[in-house]
Amino acid sequence: MSSLLIRNGTIVTATDHYRADVYIKDEKVTAIAETLDEGADRTIDAGGCYLFPGGIDAHTHMELPFMGTFASDTFHTGTLAGLHGGTTTIVDFAIQTQGESLESTIQDWHSKADGHAVGDYAFHCAVTDFNEETRKEIPRIINHHGINSFKTFMAYKGFLMIDDRQMFELMKELVKHGGIITTHAENGDMVDYLVQKFLAEGKTGPRYHALSRPPICEAEASGRVIDLAHQAQCPLYIVHMTCEESLARVRTATLRNQKVHAETCLQYLLLDESLYFQDGFEGAKVVMSPPLRKPKDQEALWAAINQNLIQHVATDHCPFCLNQKEMGIDDFSKIPNGAPGIEHRVELMYSEGVHQGRISLNKFVDITSTGAAKIFGLFPRKGTIAVGSDADIIVFDPEAEHTITADTHHMKVDYSIYEGWEVQGKCRTTILRGTVAVDEGIACIGEGFGKYLPRKPFNPRY
Ligand code: URP
Ligand code: ZN
Ligand code: ZN
């Protein structure tokens, strides 16, 4: 039995904010009180610091095979980078290769993650080929593998996209078994048309990536999947929402009492489309789908967080090194889509969100941790600091300042989309299941420490 006492910190959850000591035995929080005097194997003085629940990033792609290459972070390097920045749990997308079973997809993802991830992890199952065989696999994926969320792509025509009929039938199946559909909403046919048009006109630079995926393309698909889910009575979570037009579809759905869960990602809150219009190939660093939008969309996203229209801020962490991005030097449609971010989500959300006065401390905890835990069946094991919960805790120093640079980050990628950003507040110590995982920038645990998290079926009460 190992024990850890954290003294003098200020606990912040999605609802509370108070000074308390926290006692941890083995992996769980066992006591919280104003003062705890029990002896412990180790005591941490958290005076002047906040204690936040470990961050959950519900949208990552570790070593994803994609567009002719692989995302550069492995489960080992990516989850360790996450721990450096306060993220203790990820939910990664296990993506079916068309023609293969869901079972083999899940096995495949386990073989990449098991014994390698340093942080805790769960999987969403992305269905890219829904047929009679796939349909039969759904109950086992939910009940045996503990995966309640099923991703569909409405874009990436030809390799990931499925049609509306398949998506609707999948939804009907999920309703029977306690699943939730999570969707990448972009109109794949519209994108396909615009990509071909630009290429035929000799327009090959990174800016045409953005121009081939306008907001209407995302809004149309968002509206369509919202309607399909409403008709199927299926819980829906739209991933990486970027713009005002898509948010309007979510808002409209509430008028008929439909609950749509929505996620945005850090980069859509902090960066804008002007980055595509830089000289040369620089814009390739932020080639991702959907693309970055306008400052007015950033404002709409921050507002949507405060209006509870958006429940989670993830990263869509899908890093590619510059030489991988160069696969598309002569053709923007060949630039691998995706960007790094897992390491900086929690700190930047604090700095740009709380410190800049855009969101409250409680909201910060909700969107970086609690909201995702509730939607995806991890709560209250994850997503809060409470007796009985896993002791995943960030000791966060709000006074510490630092500057982001690829020279010192821990993600396995040779650039940062936040290069030079000055950050107010720092994760001093990250604790995962009662063990100090990272302390003052030093990793204290190693490859394989992370545990797979089977999840409960979707709970509509949340
Ligand atoms: O550009 C992105 N987002 N890459 C990762 C795959 C996806 O669409 O989520
Ligand atoms: Zn996507
Ligand atoms: Zn993604």
Side-chain angles (χ1 to χ4, degrees):
M1 278 246 190
S2 67
S3 55
L4 175 64
L5 175 62
I6 310 175
R7 305 203 61 185
N8 304 319
T10 297
I11 295 179
V12 185
T13 67
T15 48
D16 299 309
H17 177 177
Y18 58 103
R19 240 269 328 118
D21 293 350
V22 181
Y23 200 83
I24 297 161
K25 260 204 200 112
D26 292 332
E27 302 198 332
K28 304 280 182 193
V29 173
T30 55
I32 298 175
E34 200 175 344
T35 310
L36 289 168
D37 288 322
E38 284 176 72
D41 298 332
R42 180 169 178 179
T43 300
I44 293 175
D45 183 356
C49 290
Y50 291 122
L51 304 181
F52 297 136
I56 298 174
D57 189 340
H59 189 152
T60 68
H61 301 283
M62 301 304 170
E63 52 193 296
L64 175 71
F66 194 51
M67 297 181 71
T69 184
F70 286 83
S72 58
D73 259 319
T74 61
F75 276 87
H76 175 192
T77 60
T79 57
L80 186 54
L83 288 163
H84 276 275
T87 289
T88 48
T89 294
I90 63 165
V91 192
D92 199 84
F93 287 92
I95 302 185
Q96 179 190 27
T97 301
Q98 290 180 345
E100 290 193 3
S101 67
L102 299 182
E103 182 66 32
S104 71
T105 304
I106 302 306
Q107 295 308 343
D108 203 20
W109 250 256
H110 271 298
S111 64
K112 296 185 220 216
D114 297 355
H116 299 291
V118 191
D120 284 359
Y121 58 99
F123 301 138
H124 307 281
C125 179
V127 180
T128 61
D129 188 4
F130 188 72
N131 53 44
E132 284 316 307
E133 291 312 306
T134 326
R135 184 195 308 279
K136 288 186 211 136
E137 294 185 85
I138 300 290
R140 183 176 154 83
I141 300 296
I142 295 177
N143 300 315
H144 176 76
H145 289 292
I147 296 173
N148 72 5
S149 43
F150 292 77
K151 167 104 174 259
T152 55
F153 290 94
M154 298 171 82
Y156 302 123
K157 195 173 164 69
F159 62 113
L160 297 179
M161 177 172 152
I162 62 173
D163 64 28
D164 292 352
R165 164 95 193 233
Q166 288 177 300
M167 200 157 59
F168 187 65
E169 290 202 31
L170 171 61
M171 288 175 179
K172 295 293 257 182
E173 207 56 36
L174 296 183
V175 173
K176 289 188 211 157
H177 303 288
I180 175 170
I181 194 149
T182 70
T183 298
H184 172 132
E186 283 186 301
N187 184 317
D189 284 308
M190 202 191 294
V191 171
D192 213 41
Y193 168 82
L194 289 169
V195 167
Q196 296 315 320
K197 175 181 158 314
F198 285 129
L199 290 177
E201 292 168 356
K203 296 171 174 168
T204 57
R207 70 186 59 192
Y208 295 101
H209 171 78
L211 294 172
S212 62
R213 308 179 98 101
I216 191 69
C217 159
E218 182 187 320
E220 184 282 328
S222 299
R224 184 156 35 104
V225 70
I226 288 170
D227 285 345
L228 292 174
H230 185 250
Q231 180 63 22
Q233 291 290 293
C234 184
L236 168 66
Y237 176 95
I238 300 182
V239 302
H240 51 41
M241 190 164 273
T242 69
C243 61
E244 210 176 5
E245 291 87 336
S246 297
L247 286 167
R249 311 290 170 131
V250 177
R251 203 170 274 121
T252 302
T254 65
L255 301 177
R256 64 183 175 201
N257 302 327
Q258 182 183 4
K259 170 83 187 165
V260 175
H261 300 277
E263 164 200 288
T264 191
C265 298
L266 184 63
Q267 60 272 28
Y268 300 118
L269 290 164
L270 302 189
L271 307 175
D272 71 60
E273 65 179 13
S274 60
L275 296 177
Y276 296 113
F277 297 88
Q278 300 170 93
D279 289 343
F281 197 58
E282 193 64 16
K285 290 179 178 172
V286 286
V287 163
M288 62 186 76
S289 295
L292 301 172
R293 304 295 191 194
K294 296 191 187 313
K296 61 123 179 136
D297 295 297
Q298 297 173 296
E299 277 184 34
L301 293 170
W302 283 109
I305 288 171
N306 282 320
Q307 293 161 349
N308 297 325
L309 281 182
I310 288 177
Q311 291 89 39
H312 183 51
V313 176
T315 57
D316 195 4
H317 179 76
C318 191
F320 297 100
C321 291
L322 293 172
N323 66 340
Q324 294 177 287
K325 289 280 185 184
E326 279 167 10
M327 291 164 69
I329 192 112
D330 297 320
D331 174 350
F332 69 89
S333 73
K334 295 196 169 63
I335 302 171
N337 286 199
I342 191 167
E343 187 165 347
H344 302 302
R345 184 185 61 117
V346 169
E347 289 172 346
L348 277 173
M349 282 308 294
Y350 178 86
S351 186
E352 294 296 318
V354 179
H355 183 68
Q356 294 294 337
R358 292 176 168 123
I359 55 173
S360 71
L361 266 176
N362 300 114
K363 178 59 86 177
F364 159 80
V365 170
D366 203 12
I367 53 166
T368 56
S369 182
T370 319
K374 288 183 172 175
I375 295 168
F376 293 118
L378 291 166
F379 189 83
R381 176 173 177 189
K382 304 290 189 187
T384 192
I385 299 177
V387 171
S389 294
D390 278 4
D392 298 349
I393 296 175
I394 307 168
V395 180
F396 190 89
D397 181 352
E399 299 304 327
E401 295 171 4
H402 59 115
T403 304
I404 295 175
T405 167
D407 296 341
T408 54
H409 75 198
H410 301 85
M411 299 176 288
K412 206 171 123 203
V413 61
D414 51 3
Y415 72 95
S416 172
I417 59 176
Y418 305 106
E419 186 68 37
W421 278 58
E422 289 176 5
V423 185
Q424 178 70 42
K426 190 153 184 41
C427 298
R428 194 182 88 186
T429 308
T430 305
I431 296 161
L432 173 57
R433 283 180 278 106
T435 295
V436 172
V438 174
D439 193 28
E440 308 262 13
I442 308 291
C444 308
I445 55 173
E447 188 165 359
F449 187 87
K451 271 193 183 165
Y452 175 67
L453 303 168
R455 299 180 285 121
K456 297 174 276 191
F458 178 73
N459 182 346
R461 277 190 301 126
Y462 295 135

